[in-house]
Amino acid sequence: MFLAVLCALFLLGSAFSDTTVTIYNEWLSQGGRVHYETERWNKINGLTHLNLIPKMKSIGTAPGRWLHPDLSNDLFQNWPQSHSHHGYPDPSYLQNHALQSKTWASYMIQLNGYGSVIDNMIWELKGLNWPSWIDKSPHQGGFPNNVDAASEFVSLMVQSCKDFTGGRIPHIFEVINEPDWAEKIIDQQTNINYHKVVAQKLKSRFGMKIAGPTYTSMALRRADENNFSYWNRTAKFMDMSLDHLDFFSFHAYNYVRVSGGSHNYFGINEARLVASIDMVENYSHLKKGKTVQLIISEFGRGNIFGVAPDFVNGMTDFELIYQPNGFMFTFLNLREFIERVVVFLHDNEQRPGHDYLRTSLFTKDGHSLHATKFINFWHKLTYAQKFLRVSSQYDGQERTVVPLVLANPLSKEMVVLLHNYGSKPENVKLNFPNSWINPSTGEQTCIIFENGNPAVHPNTRFSISKVHGTVGLPGSSTCLYTFKTTFNFGRIHTDNQNTYYGKDMVIPINNGHAQTTIHLPSSGYHSAHLRVGVSRDKNVNTKPNRVAFNGHTLSSSYMLFDAMKTEGKTSWNVWEFLVPASQVHATNTISMTFGGHGGHVSSVALVVGKLQ
């Protein structure tokens, strides 16, 4: 009831919309992906306690990432040296059945509890704990000098797990967790060499798929600083990984800063996440002529600054839901590239010396905590639903309302999802070109911050027919609007979109000008939009004065939400431009002019679709 009254007050306060979302009667395929593929989006970090498996299954989630078994019971640190091969691990050590039973007991619980649901779980190692007998002198005593010997620990560990479980091992492997945090121990070249040799062994011996470098969120969020020095590290890794690894993996976080009685958030989402993904994909296109699939193995709300490490209240619980929600909109709008994501939540994180519940879904005895609201919200979506093509308002401003729209062709139900990055409420006009559908009433479910705590108002009835097709979206909220329709979705066409990149990246802005060319495999496209990443000094305007596409000036644009306006050392923004499909050719020249000089265009992406 409260939400219905709140949204009505928003709408009554203005006869006009604050922004418009246009929904087309076309399915939207991105890189061949048109369905909501649940298992790619619904997993959490860490294995599940036995008593909590039924609770996890009841809300539609499961383990997506097995965290550092190399640390469990000091597995690697206690590993003895081979008697016959000096400097290498003893191959018989983890073939001991009693030790295998102890080592793989928790994983067996997962296999028995979840079955094939966890086949694509990611298996991750910390990579910083090694036995005293192995030479670690060049790496401050923290990492082996011989990467082939180090990789043999990994291979023998996987072999032991395979033998004990009858071959039921996770399909995906992350070699080291966040190695950029430990570069004084694992230098860049050692990290590259180690990833390569581990990949060669696990792929040839077990058929596993390998992901890396598993960088921190900071590595990509700050990729443009110091003339893209962070990016140069990533590019050097990709020179190896594009040949030897299957996925590029990293972490993505937004953070909360508390000051006095207020708080604000900052981090990689939305603009810098899209900008850095475009750089990774642009580089892959330049080197290999194709996309590289991404794994984001941790995402969500990161550290909370300005308070004690164990500080928890209603606000921190809300941000634990609100921040991952924002990430989900970005991921689903870039699903062409993203293989899977794993939110940084746990079934229950309590352990000796760590008694708080900052990222937990349940208490030890199975009572639901606020974080389950995130899982439950996205659990409403199923594979039966397909994405519809949707666009935001090209008003030349920063976009704060992000849309997703799906429909079920069998039930004829349509759902509109909106996320509000801003703190003020928005009146959102739902525009259906040529009135292809005219919904009048529906039900909405919103996650909002209310009375100092996260709150969910489910299935609240609303009408849009009396308010010019507008829905109310509370500030700092995520809402799902459900419409029952009679429309025959089975007869509509699919806009098959793919992304292509410029032949240049990290393009210097010289005398206010930058230019690149994008080649396409054909012509005759149905839809097109351009994505331009621009990095300049702090407080320097990143908006191009003019973007000419094959000589045609693009006049319709908006900027992705920038969460680093205050905290960022640079201004790094992403501008999207509507491109008339008639202007798209097999070869396309994009010329950009800016006020002043200096800075770089980090990448230029052209998204084109053909109707089928």
Side-chain angles (χ1 to χ4, degrees), residues 491-604:
R491 69 186 183 191
I492 67 176
H493 296 285
T494 300
D495 189 29
N496 292 283
Q497 292 187 356
N498 289 282
T499 306
Y500 299 89
Y501 289 91
K503 67 179 184 64
D504 313 282
M505 58 184 296
V506 192
I507 308 164
I509 299 172
N510 290 324
N511 297 318
H513 180 76
Q515 182 174 302
T516 192
T517 302
I518 299 178
H519 298 285
L520 302 179
S522 63
S523 56
Y525 292 96
H526 167 69
S527 65
H529 65 270
L530 196 70
R531 206 163 50 232
V532 180
V534 182
S535 169
R536 308 193 78 178
D537 288 343
K538 184 78 170 176
N539 299 322
V540 174
N541 187 11
T542 63
K543 185 176 182 179
N545 291 341
R546 180 175 182 261
V547 173
F549 189 93
N550 293 329
H552 174 86
T553 298
L554 303 181
S555 56
S556 300
S557 68
Y558 62 80
M559 188 183 88
L560 299 191
F561 179 75
D562 179 12
M564 293 295 291
K565 296 182 192 71
T566 302
E567 301 273 352
K569 294 182 179 180
T570 61
S571 295
W572 192 12
N573 297 127
V574 176
W575 291 89
E576 294 213 0
F577 295 85
L578 182 63
V579 179
S582 61
Q583 297 293 326
V584 179
H585 308 308
T587 299
N588 305 276
T589 300
I590 298 93
S591 298
M592 298 153 281
T593 58
F594 299 85
H597 62 274
H600 295 81
V601 173
S602 52
S603 65
V604 180

Side-chain angles (χ1 to χ4, degrees), residues 236-256:
K236 185 177 179 182
F237 183 89
M238 291 181 67
D239 288 340
M240 177 278 298
S241 67
L242 290 173
D243 287 324
H244 298 282
L245 272 58
D246 301 282
F247 305 108
F248 184 92
S249 69
F250 64 98
H251 297 162
Y253 284 106
N254 277 4
Y255 306 91
V256 177

Side-chain angles (χ1 to χ4, degrees), residues 379-446:
H379 189 43
K380 297 177 184 296
L381 303 183
T382 69
Y383 184 83
Q385 293 165 307
K386 299 168 69 175
F387 289 91
L388 289 170
R389 185 161 79 90
V390 61
S391 66
S392 298
Q393 182 172 323
Y394 288 89
D395 58 3
Q397 305 298 314
E398 180 180 38
R399 182 182 69 170
T400 57
V401 175
V402 187
L404 289 165
V405 183
L406 303 94
N408 185 326
L410 298 178
S411 69
K412 301 180 180 180
E413 182 178 271
M414 180 178 67
V415 294
V416 177
L417 297 99
L418 300 175
H419 182 78
N420 192 347
Y421 284 114
S423 58
K424 74 178 186 69
E426 300 277 350
N427 298 319
V428 183
K429 167 75 173 178
L430 302 183
N431 175 44
F432 302 91
N434 301 316
S435 299
W436 68 269
I437 195 172
N438 290 293
S440 58
T441 61
E443 292 184 347
Q444 63 187 27
T445 296
C446 288

Side-chain angles (χ1 to χ4, degrees), residues 220 231 234 238 242 248 250 274-286 290-294 501 505 603:
L220 293 182
W231 167 251
T234 301
M238 291 181 67
L242 290 173
F248 184 92
F250 64 98
V274 176
S276 53
I277 285 176
D278 274 339
M279 290 191 71
V280 168
E281 295 299 338
N282 202 157
Y283 197 74
S284 179
H285 272 257
L286 292 176
K290 61 181 182 179
T291 63
V292 57
Q293 289 297 292
L294 310 177
Y501 289 91
M505 58 184 296
S603 65

